[in-house]
Amino acid sequence: MSPGAATARGAKLVCQSSRHTKGHAMEGIADMGGTEGWGPVRPPRPGEPVFAEPWQARAFALTLLSIRVAGYNLDAFRHATERLDRAAYLDEGYFGRWLNAAELMLTETAVLAPTAIETRARNLRGEHLVEPPAPEPVRPDYAPTAPGSLRTVDTPAAFAVGERVRARDMSPPGHTRLPGYLRGRSGVVELVQPSALLPDTHAHFLGENPQHVYSVRFDSRELWGPGAEPFSVTAELFESYLETPS
């Protein structure tokens, strides 16, 4: 999205409710790790600004505000981005995606009427439409038990450093942080990380369910076959994502 487009839209949240996908599995557009056809990865250059254009900084701030106003958490925001359709997720760039997810959060919780943003944008373009009245918000009944995402788990870790583990081959119906390209693949535990909230339930306001987290190293050829360039991939995985290889 160009600065002109952002101005024309009134720096608005740009997606429409029809652009939210009905399916909730992570195998959607968001789970693109390890897939091909997206071009080379361009690492940040020294001195490169955080925001390439001013509207991106506003989008960043609006999204953080929307998370708070909607009563969502970071995992619920991530789940909102996963439920965008392909155009809303890709075509307007990284911060356009954030704005689209912000709109989804605000309309889901009835902070905004579904047509409010489009109506406002059209009025800013010179039309004269009646804007819908503000609905009564319905925010999730959610409150964190402590700041941040780290929690204490009383049970001992199920896996130890140096142990070989396998990522479960699962396809949950909702949010998960287990990438598709790791499912069913084996690796080695390199580090037991501090325990943290389980995103799979936290994103849906079904409880924090903290778990042990492991840094697991995978060989590239285990993930993409013997013809892959040899290197290692390390992923932080929750305990329920892992099992002992048979």
Side-chain angles (χ1 to χ4, degrees):
M1 183 192 298
S2 67
T7 301
R9 296 175 183 225
K12 75 183 190 75
L13 309 179
V14 293
C15 80
Q16 310 307 317
S17 58
S18 62
R19 298 170 68 185
H20 308 151
T21 60
K22 300 301 182 182
H24 298 303
M26 194 177 172
E27 287 88 331
I29 189 62
D31 195 15
M32 50 176 38
T35 61
E36 298 180 355
W38 303 106
V41 175
R42 185 182 68 81
R45 296 185 295 269
E48 183 176 3
V50 175
F51 303 106
E53 302 178 49
W55 75 266
Q56 296 177 350
R58 295 196 297 272
F60 180 82
L62 279 171
T63 303
L64 295 184
L65 177 62
S66 298
I67 293 172
R68 175 169 295 195
V69 170
Y72 275 29
N73 56 56
L74 181 59
D75 292 312
F77 161 66
R78 287 170 172 158
H79 185 47
T81 66
E82 293 169 355
R83 291 182 286 132
L84 300 173
D85 67 19
R86 187 191 184 284
Y89 192 88
L90 291 176
D91 292 354
E92 289 163 339
Y94 182 78
F95 289 104
R97 179 187 315 156
W98 276 45
L99 287 176
N100 293 334
E103 181 183 346
L104 174 56
M105 293 186 292
L106 294 174
T107 53
E108 277 187 333
T109 55
V111 173
L112 294 176
T115 59
I117 294 172
E118 177 65 14
T119 303
R120 175 67 62 85
R122 291 174 65 181
N123 285 338
L124 289 172
R125 292 196 294 265
E127 299 184 43
H128 302 283
L129 304 176
V130 176
E131 297 190 13
E136 184 67 28
V138 183
R139 299 178 179 88
D141 183 14
Y142 160 78
T145 62
S149 61
L150 300 182
R151 297 291 187 271
T152 299
V153 176
D154 295 331
T155 57
F159 306 103
V161 172
E163 186 173 353
R164 192 161 186 82
V165 294
R166 181 172 56 208
R168 295 181 182 274
D169 189 4
M170 63 184 196
S171 184
H175 180 67
T176 185
R177 300 298 289 173
L178 176 58
Y181 70 92
L182 294 181
R183 298 175 193 176
R185 308 300 184 180
S186 297
V188 177
V189 175
E190 288 202 322
L191 186 67
V192 180
Q193 299 279 9
S195 304
L197 308 180
L198 179 65
D200 303 49
T201 56
H202 196 229
H204 300 280
F205 311 105
L206 298 176
E208 294 184 343
N209 296 322
Q211 293 187 3
H212 295 288
V213 180
Y214 305 84
S215 293
V216 182
R217 176 174 47 82
F218 296 86
D219 187 277
S220 60
R221 290 157 293 192
E222 166 72 9
L223 301 179
W224 295 293
E229 179 183 355
F231 60 92
S232 295
V233 174
T234 301
E236 274 62 58
L237 302 177
F238 287 83
E239 190 164 275
S240 61
Y241 296 174
L242 300 172
E243 61 187 2
T244 300
S246 56

